[in-house]
Amino acid sequence: MLPAYIPNPVAALFGGGTPIDLGRNFSDGRRLFGDGKTYRGLVAGILAGVVIGLLQIQAQAVFSLTYLPAHTLLSISLLATGALLGDLCKSFFKRRLGKERGSKWPLADMYDLVIGAFLLLLVIDPSWLFAQVTLAAFILILILTPILHRATNIIGYLLKVKEVPW
Ligand code: CTP
Ligand code: MG
């Protein structure tokens, strides 16, 4: 899951600049995505996810970690891209609900990346998904994600990278 988990913190570290919605509003008069979704964050996040995935593929070959799911360039790219597309879609719906940028939306803020990453895999590379991700692994991901999410955001807040600890 590292290629899906890494993009969000990297986007928080390196994001900023031009927002993806270019400042435009939706028909409801609110921002399309908001200032928290930028091109720099999107690109840096996806690149970081792919780089960590390439390191995992290397490590698996070097240390013969055959019991782990075997990543491919496609699977790591879909995990990284899907994670941030899920985050972007979440912000779209968050704005429609009238929630401000950076405000709390507990379950959505935690599972957006999992939903995005797995939906993209399901649509583009389902054979990899069903061959490599067991039901037990998927359940473990659902349990670990909120814990890791909360821990990373508290660390990000303490390091003053994030403005809020969620
Ligand atoms: N970020 C970015 N580009 C992205 C995603 C994130 O630049 N595509 C950066 C922004 O600086 C953002 C920070 O990472 O503020 C934290 O991301 P997140 O918590 O997802 O955004 P929020 O600011 O909480 O905005 P939203 O309410 O839309 O979720
Ligand atoms: Mg947030």
Side-chain angles (χ1 to χ4, degrees):
M1 277 304 277
L2 276 180
Y5 285 150
I6 290 297
N8 270 291
V10 169
L13 269 177
F14 297 105
T18 313
I20 295 171
D21 64 10
L22 303 172
R24 284 175 302 195
N25 289 341
F26 192 62
S27 55
D28 56 9
R30 297 181 193 279
R31 288 285 294 276
L32 198 55
F33 303 120
D35 285 331
K37 306 295 122 151
T38 67
Y39 285 105
R40 216 164 69 203
L42 188 71
V43 173
I46 292 174
L47 280 179
V50 170
V51 167
I52 200 85
L54 290 175
L55 291 174
Q56 285 178 265
I57 292 174
Q58 276 302 312
Q60 189 161 24
V62 171
F63 302 110
S64 308
L65 305 172
T66 45
Y67 56 92
L68 286 175
H71 268 307
T72 62
L73 181 58
L74 182 61
S75 72
I76 60 175
S77 306
L78 294 176
L79 280 173
T81 310
L84 284 188
L85 287 185
D87 175 58
L88 191 62
C89 287
K90 180 241 11 222
S91 289
F92 175 80
F93 291 112
K94 209 170 162 181
R95 298 298 92 80
R96 305 290 72 75
L97 291 174
K99 293 181 190 291
E100 294 300 321
R101 174 216 173 159
S103 64
K104 216 171 184 171
W105 191 16
L107 284 174
D109 273 332
M110 291 176 167
Y111 287 112
D112 54 0
L113 71 111
V114 177
I115 296 169
F118 278 92
L119 265 186
L120 207 59
L121 273 172
L122 188 66
V123 171
I124 298 181
D125 198 1
S127 57
W128 183 89
L129 181 64
F130 292 114
Q132 303 293 341
V133 183
T134 60
L135 183 62
F138 187 68
I139 291 170
L140 190 62
I141 288 166
L142 293 184
I143 296 169
L144 283 181
T145 298
I147 300 169
L148 290 172
H149 185 270
R150 189 87 177 108
T152 341
N153 286 341
I154 290 171
I155 294 170
Y157 175 71
L158 293 175
L159 294 175
K160 300 194 190 324
V161 172
K162 274 191 70 96
E163 286 159 25
V164 286
W166 54 78

mmCIF file of all heavy atoms in Angstrom, residues 94 102 109 162 166, ligand 2:
data_model
loop_
_atom_site.group_PDB
_atom_site.id
_atom_site.type_symbol
_atom_site.label_atom_id
_atom_site.label_comp_id
_atom_site.label_asym_id
_atom_site.label_seq_id
_atom_site.Cartn_x
_atom_site.Cartn_y
_atom_site.Cartn_z
ATOM 1 N N LYS A 94 -16.771 17.402 -0.742
ATOM 2 C CA LYS A 94 -16.652 18.174 0.498
ATOM 3 C C LYS A 94 -17.117 19.619 0.253
ATOM 4 O O LYS A 94 -17.846 20.188 1.074
ATOM 5 C CB LYS A 94 -15.177 18.147 0.919
ATOM 6 C CG LYS A 94 -14.929 18.244 2.413
ATOM 7 C CD LYS A 94 -13.460 17.947 2.713
ATOM 8 C CE LYS A 94 -13.086 18.446 4.089
ATOM 9 N NZ LYS A 94 -11.660 18.192 4.383
ATOM 10 N N GLY A 102 -9.730 22.131 4.476
ATOM 11 C CA GLY A 102 -9.019 21.787 5.702
ATOM 12 C C GLY A 102 -9.923 21.390 6.854
ATOM 13 O O GLY A 102 -9.442 20.958 7.901
ATOM 14 N N ASP A 109 -12.133 11.625 4.741
ATOM 15 C CA ASP A 109 -10.728 12.045 4.740
ATOM 16 C C ASP A 109 -9.775 10.861 4.891
ATOM 17 O O ASP A 109 -8.622 10.935 4.460
ATOM 18 C CB ASP A 109 -10.461 13.036 5.883
ATOM 19 C CG ASP A 109 -10.764 14.479 5.469
ATOM 20 O OD1 ASP A 109 -10.653 14.774 4.270
ATOM 21 O OD2 ASP A 109 -11.093 15.295 6.346
ATOM 22 N N LYS A 162 1.340 20.479 8.304
ATOM 23 C CA LYS A 162 -0.118 20.581 8.214
ATOM 24 C C LYS A 162 -0.625 21.577 9.245
ATOM 25 O O LYS A 162 -0.072 21.692 10.340
ATOM 26 C CB LYS A 162 -0.765 19.201 8.435
ATOM 27 C CG LYS A 162 -0.860 18.377 7.158
ATOM 28 C CD LYS A 162 -1.739 17.156 7.367
ATOM 29 C CE LYS A 162 -3.193 17.512 7.534
ATOM 30 N NZ LYS A 162 -3.960 17.420 6.284
ATOM 31 N N TRP A 166 -5.560 16.634 11.570
ATOM 32 C CA TRP A 166 -6.362 15.583 10.967
ATOM 33 C C TRP A 166 -6.227 15.594 9.465
ATOM 34 O O TRP A 166 -5.582 16.476 8.925
ATOM 35 C CB TRP A 166 -7.841 15.710 11.353
ATOM 36 C CG TRP A 166 -8.440 17.053 11.065
ATOM 37 C CD1 TRP A 166 -8.862 17.530 9.837
ATOM 38 C CD2 TRP A 166 -8.714 18.090 12.021
ATOM 39 N NE1 TRP A 166 -9.361 18.792 9.979
ATOM 40 C CE2 TRP A 166 -9.288 19.164 11.291
ATOM 41 C CE3 TRP A 166 -8.530 18.216 13.404
ATOM 42 C CZ2 TRP A 166 -9.672 20.347 11.934
ATOM 43 C CZ3 TRP A 166 -8.917 19.388 14.000
ATOM 44 C CH2 TRP A 166 -9.488 20.444 13.280
HETATM 45 MG MG MG B 2 -7.503 17.675 5.017
#
